[in-house]
Amino acid sequence: MAMSNNLKLMSVAGARPNFMKIASIADAVKAYNSGVLQRPAEIEHIDHVIVHTGQHYDRKMSQTFFDELGIPSPDINLGVGSGSHARQTADIMKAFENVLLDQCPDVLLVVGDVNSTIACSLVASKIKYPAGQKRKRPLIVHVEAGLRSFDREMPEEVNRILTDSLSDMLFVTEQSAIKNLSREGVQPERIVFVGNVMIDTLKRHLQRAESSPIREELGLDCPYGLVTLHRPSNVDSHKKLTTLVDVLLAIAAKRKLVFAVHPRTRVNLESFNLLSRLSNSPGIILTEPLSYLDFLNLINHADLVVTDSGGIQEETTFLDVPCVTLRENTERPVTVETGSNYLIGTDPDKILETVNIILSGKGKKTVVPELWDGKAGQRIITSLAAYFASDKNVLQRYK
Ligand code: UD1
């Protein structure tokens, strides 16, 4: 039913770490529409259109997350698939331009730092809606804005900087992001500290994750560590990946390891002839990419996590599980400052030293960061509704 006081919100999901973030937004929209959240009279209903770019497309990297988290099926799937950075970004942009012109949403919401994030915000920033629409382009909203690793070798860092510079409203997860954005000249009224949508989804589904049979299925009846690796800087170089495989074998001599292997990493392990060294080790269990609930169950019961992921640094911090991050920098410093995360890099001696501290029970304890309370998505939706309801100029500004 079309209502005159609707706000049309379009969210973009493309790659695996986006899906748990969009789940929180979809839940908050549902809460808004059912009257659970406070509704300004001017905005009766939010129409939520979900666009999947198809950056991740394997069932295990995509569809299982929609199923498990109850995310509404994407209204539109661009089906772009894999490719070089330029090709993938360009393919998303070309397809997304038609979607924006057809749908003309009031708000475009992008999350995180993947190629889908920058591709869609760049299209939205230059779009000109057809005549007769109430605005010229959507308000561009970035969720998880302001994070900086200060390492432009990382494709995600480039995506983060560019997306933030194109966004009208920037929702942030931690204090460092406010400092970064202020330093870059973003006006304070455009920055809103809301907490962490990834933690919203974790909190909401943790109890369900406890019923996952994954530990039985993997035959885990002893303490174990959980491993993920997928950063190009770690897995695309033969030398680096060989070093990391050696370190994992050394850790596995002391602690059973479950290694959930990302598709990019599997391809490289195979082509560098390293996969069999891992699969022949009695201390290592290799798995395909795992579903959200299975993975959450495994993090929650691990006594050690070894990763180069961004999101897992946050999830381990929230769950107070010691995490060894195999990177030289992190865009999520709060996880090191108050959380259970150790930023170690890839020096084998340092990694083993830190693992020994953790396994001896002397690892750091977490203080859960400010506003990581399960309500970030609700704050985002409430802020957007209030913004459109109260700012009379907003309609003018985007005409
Ligand atoms: C992307 C994100 C990264 C995020 C990661 C989570 C960018 C620049 N990078 O990296 O920030 O942490 O997702 O996974 O956006 N592949 C499959 N099936 C899939 C998807 C990918 O087999 O469903 C394989 C393909 O060989 C592909 C490769 O994985 O070429 C890399 O995928 P891509 O999306 O380009 O980058 P990720 O490494 O997954």
Side-chain angles (χ1 to χ4, degrees):
M1 182 182 60
M3 280 184 250
S4 56
N5 290 353
N6 285 9
L7 184 71
K8 186 165 180 178
L9 166 70
M10 177 176 281
S11 298
V12 175
R16 184 170 60 177
N18 292 164
F19 304 135
M20 32 293 215
K21 299 170 193 171
I22 293 298
S24 156
I25 300 296
D27 287 342
V29 169
K30 227 161 130 194
Y32 185 91
N33 288 339
S34 62
V36 174
L37 298 185
Q38 217 181 4
R39 267 190 296 198
E42 292 86 345
I43 312 287
E44 285 172 36
H45 190 269
I46 298 177
D47 296 329
H48 193 196
V49 178
I50 298 180
V51 177
H52 191 326
T53 63
Q55 177 173 347
H56 285 173
Y57 44 85
D58 285 354
R59 197 180 154 73
K60 289 186 170 131
M61 298 290 284
S62 174
Q63 188 57 42
T64 58
F65 292 81
F66 283 80
D67 296 345
E68 283 192 349
L69 300 177
I71 310 170
S73 294
D75 300 274
I76 297 149
N77 195 324
L78 308 180
V80 297
S82 301
S84 67
H85 283 277
R87 187 170 291 279
Q88 188 177 60
T89 308
D91 285 348
I92 297 170
M93 288 180 70
K94 283 195 282 184
F96 187 63
E97 183 175 48
N98 294 331
V99 170
L100 262 193
L101 288 173
D102 183 46
Q103 296 275 334
C104 302
D106 299 301
V107 182
L108 175 73
L109 182 148
V110 294
V111 296
D113 55 17
V114 303
N115 286 342
S116 303
T117 311
I118 174 59
C120 295
S121 39
L122 183 51
V123 172
S125 71
K126 298 195 206 169
I127 204 87
K128 193 163 185 305
Y129 285 169
Q133 292 296 323
K134 59 184 173 191
R135 65 194 75 254
K136 196 180 86 184
R137 67 162 177 88
L139 185 83
I140 304 170
V141 163
H142 187 201
V143 173
E144 213 182 68
L147 298 178
R148 296 288 181 270
S149 67
F150 303 101
D151 172 8
R152 292 213 187 189
E153 295 280 308
M154 276 180 89
E156 293 82 2
E157 180 74 353
V158 176
N159 293 343
R160 287 190 278 262
I161 293 168
L162 296 180
T163 304
D164 285 341
S165 75
L166 297 169
S167 296
D168 301 301
M169 214 171 190
L170 301 103
F171 290 112
V172 305
T173 51
E174 60 169 86
Q175 294 289 348
S176 74
I178 302 177
K179 283 200 201 105
N180 294 333
L181 293 171
S182 306
R183 196 181 329 100
E184 290 169 20
V186 178
Q187 302 95 312
E189 62 273 19
R190 290 167 49 211
I191 306 169
V192 192
F193 180 28
V194 289
N196 192 323
V197 286
M198 196 153 195
I199 300 302
D200 294 356
T201 299
L202 185 159
K203 277 192 82 167
R204 188 172 177 135
H205 295 279
L206 187 56
Q207 214 176 336
R208 279 177 69 217
E210 282 303 290
S211 325
S212 154
I214 186 70
R215 281 174 292 138
E216 269 164 44
E217 283 170 16
L218 297 178
L220 282 170
D221 49 9
C222 55
Y224 63 91
L226 182 61
V227 180
T228 79
L229 287 177
H230 76 283
R231 291 273 153 232
S233 58
N234 281 338
V235 306
D236 287 0
S237 140
H238 186 174
K239 192 164 163 233
K240 185 64 86 57
L241 194 53
T242 305
T243 305
L244 294 178
V245 165
D246 286 338
V247 174
L248 293 179
L249 291 168
I251 300 173
K254 309 179 204 186
R255 184 58 101 238
K256 190 105 184 167
L257 292 179
V258 178
F259 184 0
V261 186
H262 184 283
R264 170 193 282 280
T265 310
R266 183 171 291 273
V267 168
N268 292 338
L269 285 170
E270 271 165 6
S271 73
F272 302 151
N273 285 322
L274 294 167
L275 195 61
S276 57
R277 292 190 56 207
L278 291 169
S279 56
N280 289 337
S281 161
I284 296 189
I285 302 174
L286 295 177
T287 77
E288 298 281 307
L290 294 166
S291 80
Y292 183 76
L293 296 176
D294 288 348
F295 194 75
L296 188 50
N297 182 297
L298 285 178
I299 300 185
N300 200 26
H301 292 274
D303 58 6
L304 163 74
V305 169
V306 178
T307 191
D308 58 10
S309 153
I312 294 170
Q313 295 173 55
E314 299 185 328
E315 291 167 333
T316 48
T317 275
F318 184 81
L319 294 169
D320 198 15
V321 176
C323 177
V324 180
T325 296
L326 306 187
R327 287 174 47 187
E328 305 298 335
N329 49 57
T330 180
E331 61 287 340
R332 295 157 159 94
V334 76
T335 61
V336 177
E337 287 156 12
T338 79
S340 51
N341 187 21
Y342 293 82
L343 189 61
I344 296 303
T346 53
D347 177 73
D349 293 338
K350 279 196 200 152
I351 297 171
L352 290 170
E353 194 186 311
T354 312
V355 165
N356 284 337
I357 293 171
I358 291 169
L359 294 185
S360 69
K362 297 192 190 117
K364 292 200 269 184
K365 293 304 254 178
T366 276
V367 176
V368 174
E370 206 183 339
L371 294 189
W372 289 20
D373 58 0
K375 295 185 180 149
Q378 297 190 357
R379 291 191 188 98
I380 289 168
I381 294 303
T382 306
S383 305
L384 283 175
Y387 183 72
F388 276 85
S390 66
D391 184 349
K392 302 279 180 287
N393 293 325
V394 73
L395 299 180
Q396 295 301 325
R397 206 180 308 154
Y398 295 97
K399 261 186 185 163

